[in-house]
Every structure is written in C-alpha cells, then in structure tokens.
Amino acid sequence: MFFVEIIEVPGLGNRGYLAGGADTAVVVDPPRDIDRVLAHAARRGVRISHVVETHLHNDYVTGGLELARVTGAAYLVPAGARVSFARLPVADGDTVTVDAGLTLRAVATPGHTPHHLSYVLSEDDSPVAAFTGGSLLIGTVGRPDLVEPRLTGALAREQHASARRLAEQLPDETRVLPTHGFGSFCSASSAGAETDSSTIGQEKRVNDALLRDVDTFVRELLAELGDIPAYYAHMGPLNAAGPAPVDLTPPATADAEEIAGRLAAGEWVVDLRHRVAFAEGHVAGSFNIEGEGQLATYLAWLIPWGKPVTLLAESAEQLAAAQRELVRVGIDRPAAAATGDPDGWVREGESLATYPRATFADLAAKPSDPGTVVLDVRRNAERATGYLEGSTHIPIHELPRRVHEVPPGTVWVHCAGGMRAATAASLLDAAGREVVAIDDPFDAAEATGLRLVTP
C-alpha cells in the first residue's frame, strides 16, 4: 500500500511530497530545510531512494541537491534544465521503481518552464497520483511568465496542452498534487486557493485549462498575471548552481549599540513582532514584517538583494522560525539578531518610536483635511477591483524606491487586511513621515460611508 505525505511550506504557498511504500520513498520538490523531510521519512521508517525536481524553481531555493547528498538518493532533474552539478537527467517517459509495486513515470509538461516534468505515481501499473509541480494546479495552472518575456505566449499555449495531456492520460480518480498554488506567486491565479486537494476528474469540471479553447485560455491567463516578486530573479540561478547546505544556528546577538550602528550604516533592521506591538513601541528606523505571515516573500521582495539584515524577535523561537523561512529564499544568515524586550534594543536615554493605528471607520469620521493622504499599498490587481476615492496608490513592493512620491501630509496607509499596511507604515515612519496604519479589512471601508471607486 502506498502513502503520500505533504510537506507544507505555507509561507511561500508551496508543498513538497514524500511518497512511497513499506521500505522506500521518493521526495518531490523538497524545501531547502531538509531536516523536516528527513523527520517525515524517519517517522515512516522508510529510506529515501529518489529525490526529484519537477522544474528549476523560480520562487524558492531547493533542498533537493543536499537531500540527495545526505541520503545517497538518486537526484532526478529534468534533462532540459541547465545545471552545474551532477544529477540524473530525466526525460518524458522515463520510469523508476520506488518500492515494490510502485513506479514513478516522468511526463513532459512544459509551460511553467520549458523543461517542466510532472511525475505519475502508479501502484501495480495503475496511476494513483500525479505530482504536477507548476503545471496543472488546483483550479488553475502555474504562471508562464517567469522564464523570459519573449517566451510567455508560447509557454502559455504549452501550459494548455500540458494540462490536457495529463487529463487525457490519467484516470479521473488520480490525485493532483501540485507544488505551487496554495498562495504562491507562481500560481497564475487564486482559483482553488481555498481547496487543498483535487483529482483529475475534479479539474476537468473546474479548471479553465481543461474547459477553454487554447486562444481563450491564453488570452484570459495572460490578462490575470500579476506582479513578480523581485527575488525570483535570483532563485533560478541559485538552483542551477547548486544550493549550499543551510546553517540554522542562531546568529550573533546584537546589543542596542550595534543595532544603532547597523541602522546608521544603512542596513535593514527588521522587527518580526505583531504589528500591534510594533506600533506601540519600536526601534526608530526599523521595519516591521510579521514573522507569522509571508515573511520570506515580503522581506525578500522588498530588501535590496544582498543587503545585510538584522532581525528583532520577541523570542528565540520566533527568531528560529524566521531563519528557517528566510533560507528558503536564499537569505541564509542574518547579520545579527536580538530577542526579548524592545526596551533593550535602544541605547540608554533613547525612547522607542510609536505611531497610531486606526480603522476605516476612524478615517471616515475624521474631519476633511487637505493634509491627510490616503495611501493604498495593495497590488495592481487588487486596486482594479475598487479603491477609495482620492487615494494614492503605490504597491507595497514598490514603496521602498518610491517613498518620495507620497504626497506631503499625514499618511493613512491601508492594504486588504492590515499586515502590508503595517509594513508600509514602518517604511514611511523610518523615512520620517507622520503615519497612521489602518488595521482593518478593506471590505469594511464601504460600510463606513467612505466613497469607493469601482472601475
């Protein structure tokens, strides 16, 4: 009897998989922190015989090379992926035995990348699961625009063909097990985001790639594509070169003097605490990106690549979790860190900085004032569904280089829920602006009487 265990990477919206039988197993698209994978295998009591990649990843640093080295497993990488390390190149139709009665067959499914492969797990020659990587996702497909702009149109057409190839080859009851699509920016749309499992039969009923003709599908797919996180440009080259093993030991401890010195040097100091705690007291000049959110995505997206970062956390556990998140996107070692009471993060005689928080009702109740600026930091696609009349729009990922474009006045900043608004507020606060962080769902704005513009 086969098994499949999901290895969740929720901060990036991805999954890896451990699948096998009584004695041996294969790992598909493992995260970089391979100790989690090894723990899954140990609990199952199985040996990892194969580590496979569906494609050269654009959104995270893989743990595949190191996992194969540590376990002695064969490392299967699509033959079309250009890499700088020894591996077993795999092409369409290649098959390996995982355990007694269990085989894994590669299926060419280009579209997310030109070299993309899916892998079909069969038990006694009957397909039971398809590891679809960035090809057929739950309710959608992987985006085709991450490789090269000139290839996007052709790759979109290949996505359509690849999804249909899987649907035509596999029985309806075959489980669909993608790597992306659970909040990942590698997903072409948010379709299926509320569903965590699917089958080929279910996808035939709901997935546009299987319902639309190719021209309609491509047109609609390309119209939906949103912003690409800036750090994606660095992930493919890191994976092609062969990622180094990770070091999750605690970083050097920074005292108040060192924190001040790093800020003065123009380095980033990032406070991982909840936005409420940050607003109530933080080191002036520090930025707030909550550790219990999409820390890796937004820190890697916002920070200039390679700039040293010091982390401030409320506990050693929060710091360790953040380190684990960050190595997955190539931010390997914080320059320094501090934990505990934020009063200890400022030098003697200095005070913690603060700024107010508010709701949309507070904004609506505020007397009209030409010195009030409403800043919307949602992405373009979110803004297109409706926005506050008179608001300024700068997406959060563009704000660090566009702070100077924010009009003069007190800035009331909002997003869709509050987390990104808090990060934006911290960026503005560090730049010396008077700021109010709106910590409220955007859906609540209309009921307050604020005027919304619906394009």
Side-chain angles (χ1 to χ4, degrees):
M1 183 67 180
F2 79 98
F3 72 87
V4 176
E5 284 200 17
I6 297 170
I7 302 166
E8 298 276 8
V9 190
L12 296 177
N14 288 332
R15 286 177 173 177
Y17 299 93
L18 175 75
D23 300 310
T24 55
V26 59
V27 178
V28 181
D29 290 343
R32 194 176 182 199
D33 47 327
I34 63 170
D35 58 325
R36 298 176 62 222
V37 182
L38 295 171
H40 277 273
R43 283 193 295 270
R44 281 278 179 179
V46 293
R47 177 178 64 86
I48 296 173
S49 59
H50 299 82
V51 177
V52 305
E53 304 283 4
T54 56
H55 60 293
L56 201 63
H57 303 285
N58 289 295
D59 63 326
Y60 69 91
V61 182
T62 181
L65 181 63
E66 179 65 4
L67 182 61
R69 186 190 69 80
V70 167
T71 62
Y75 190 28
L76 281 58
V77 177
R82 296 187 175 184
V83 297
S84 302
F85 49 83
R87 86 290 190 203
L88 182 62
V90 184
D92 183 51
D94 288 349
T95 301
V96 296
T97 299
V98 177
D99 201 288
L102 282 181
T103 59
L104 196 70
R105 175 172 60 89
V107 180
T109 48
H112 187 50
T113 66
H115 59 263
H116 192 285
L117 295 176
S118 296
Y119 295 89
V120 176
L121 182 69
S122 293
E123 185 176 42
D124 297 330
D125 297 325
S126 297
V128 291
F131 301 100
T132 56
S135 181
L136 182 68
L137 308 187
I138 297 178
T140 184
V141 296
R143 60 193 298 170
D145 61 331
L146 301 180
V147 177
E148 158 61 53
R150 292 171 296 180
L151 300 179
T152 297
L155 287 175
R157 289 181 173 274
E158 289 192 324
Q159 274 293 51
H160 185 268
S162 292
R164 289 179 172 238
R165 184 183 188 197
L166 289 171
E168 290 164 2
Q169 286 190 7
L170 300 175
D172 282 359
E173 62 271 20
T174 308
R175 293 176 66 185
V176 174
L177 300 172
T179 301
H180 306 311
F182 310 95
S184 167
F185 282 89
C186 272
S187 176
S189 75
S190 60
E194 302 304 316
T195 305
D196 62 3
S197 64
S198 188
T199 63
I200 289 292
Q202 182 175 333
E203 292 309 305
K204 287 179 178 178
R205 294 189 293 272
V206 302
N207 198 304
D208 283 348
L210 306 178
L211 297 173
R212 303 280 195 271
D213 66 85
V214 63
D215 291 331
T216 302
F217 169 77
V218 169
R219 182 175 64 254
E220 294 178 351
L221 176 70
L222 298 184
E224 284 187 303
L225 297 175
D227 301 300
I228 300 173
Y231 70 91
Y232 275 26
H234 305 282
M235 300 297 96
L238 282 172
N239 287 324
V246 299
D247 178 3
L248 293 175
T249 58
T253 300
D255 59 16
E257 196 66 43
E258 182 175 352
I259 292 170
R262 291 188 176 278
L263 283 168
E267 297 181 12
W268 276 41
V269 174
V270 176
D271 192 323
L272 305 171
R273 295 175 301 146
H274 190 273
R275 55 188 178 269
V276 174
F278 183 87
E280 291 176 347
H282 57 271
V283 178
S286 64
F287 304 139
N288 179 220
I289 306 178
E290 292 181 3
E292 285 72 36
Q294 289 183 290
L295 168 68
T297 293
Y298 281 101
L299 178 53
W301 198 344
L302 295 173
I303 193 170
W305 192 253
K307 183 176 282 289
V309 59
T310 294
L311 300 177
L312 306 179
E314 61 187 5
S315 67
E317 292 75 17
Q318 185 181 53
L319 175 61
Q323 282 186 260
R324 184 175 290 273
E325 287 281 334
L326 294 178
V327 298
R328 295 169 180 162
V329 292
I331 301 177
D332 284 7
R333 293 294 296 168
T339 59
D341 188 338
D343 286 325
W345 301 341
V346 292
R347 294 172 294 193
E348 187 174 353
E350 294 180 340
S351 300
L352 294 171
T354 65
Y355 55 71
R357 297 166 48 253
T359 64
F360 284 109
D362 295 326
L363 177 61
K366 186 181 181 301
S368 179
D369 180 357
T372 297
V373 178
V374 178
L375 177 64
D376 180 351
V377 297
R378 296 174 300 158
R379 295 187 298 277
N380 292 327
E382 296 172 285
R383 173 97 171 169
T385 65
Y387 57 89
L388 295 181
E389 185 178 53
S391 61
T392 297
H393 180 225
I394 302 177
I396 179 67
H397 57 276
E398 298 180 9
L399 188 58
R401 60 183 172 83
R402 296 180 60 189
V403 168
H404 64 282
E405 296 180 25
V406 180
T410 300
V411 186
W412 290 59
V413 58
H414 80 85
C415 61
M419 187 196 76
R420 288 174 293 170
T423 297
S426 72
L427 293 168
L428 292 162
D429 178 67
R433 298 298 300 271
E434 288 190 28
V435 65
V436 179
I438 298 178
D439 193 356
D440 205 14
F442 185 71
D443 291 346
E446 189 170 14
T448 68
L450 292 168
R451 296 188 62 179
L452 266 66
V453 177
T454 303

